[in-house]
Amino acid sequence: MTDTLIRGGRLVDGPADILVRGDSIERISPPGIIGTGDFQIIDASGKLLHPGLINAHMHGHGNLAKGMGDRWTLELLLTAAPWTNGFRSLEDKYLSTLIGAAEMLLKGCTACYDLMAEFPTPSVEGLEAVGRAYSDAGMRAVVAPMVADLSFFEAIPGLMEALPAPLQKEVERLRLAPYRTSLDHMRKALHGWKFDREAIRPALGPTIPLHCSDEFLTGCGHLAREHGAGLQTHLSESKVQAVSALKKYGKSLAAHMDALGLVGPGFTAAHGVWLDDDDMKRLADRGASVAHNPGSNMRLGSGIADMRRMLECGINVGIGTDGATSSDNLNMYEAMRIASLASKVRGPEWQRWITTREVLEAATAGSARALGFEKVGHLASGYKADIVFLDLGSVNWIPLNHAVNALVHTEDGSAVHSVMVGGRMVVENRKLVNVSLAKLAREAENARERLERLNRDNKALYEKLEPIVGSFCPALARQPLPINRYAAWR
Ligand SMILES: [Zn+2]
């Protein structure tokens, strides 16, 4: 790879030239200082350069189910999973992931943490298909099989009993594989990982603590430690989960995960809407991260996580979109804007609102730390050359008063002109370099049509379950939590 000089662009703090050697940034200098040499020149005049945005939480399998639902809570979304994610072939898994990779790259996101699901257990081939999709698109990713050994109906105390007997029988077939089987498949995948871990790395994703037996959670923790892999779980995402945890464990989900030894620097809590102060301090003490997904939390009515309190406690906070079934697009510019706005609707104490600088920091360096990529998330010497080129001729940037404010509050992805990952262009002049969108569209439509047909019964089952889950779970969520525990939440 020849060296590349990115000349004439501007960073958020002012004009600069960037010299890229191999996959990394060699140096950043004031304009014109780096003279001629044996390098290829990229003319970045009229472009704002910012570090690739990093999506700290999403689900690649959700992309083929884009737009399938409107009014659903997290619990209804989980009930809909057999319909939205049923009968997926290996090709579907690849395709669904590739749709997301294409969208993220086109919208300035260069790395993601993907909790991908396979039913009834993850497979080595499935994980490889997902890794291959990111690798083909030219994007960094953490690929974590989202696993459980209890179905949603077994996970929520009292829910199974609330179903009439015939429906109980029907949901029986949603049983997941025994945890030993899933652990065995994940162990094999981790051992035989084929991808360069600097680009595509494996991790573990016990989906929701309530959906996993303690033996399974402990096993996931061992496996993560053994392989130096990260571990991400949906932690205290909905009030139903917070109430259920007290019923099932007699303590919060964070306290339970900590007691099992899972909370450490490689641990990421997705959402954390219902964390109390003790939980946050615990996560901070252990060096853990939170993947903050404010768009999804609003869309599912889960609540608004207190990002300010998380930062005050010393938690590393990254920002995510969540999957296409709960936040529709995978647009990190939108996720940043919502993160900013979400902090503002919490109350009038404006000094506690998250600043645009803090949001941008979370969506780049914070997310990078959550993903476990060390030299990603900054434009600085020694860091990977993951760079987004925004067109300052876009109406979003007319005029340019304050680059960081505009990046977080004004930009919506439509100014993304080019994207570089590890020194290679993956989006050039608004087009993907490695993926044909037209081919992707044809294949996705074929898959969509076939899956709609195959999942007709699963959809019918969802329709039977919706009124029951849709009244049982909100009733559970109306139960009070111990008075001071969640006082910080409004
Ligand atoms: Zn999620």
Side-chain angles (χ1 to χ4, degrees), residues 57 59 234 237 271 322-323:
H57 178 72
H59 304 282
H234 296 85
E237 176 176 352
H271 302 281
D322 210 348

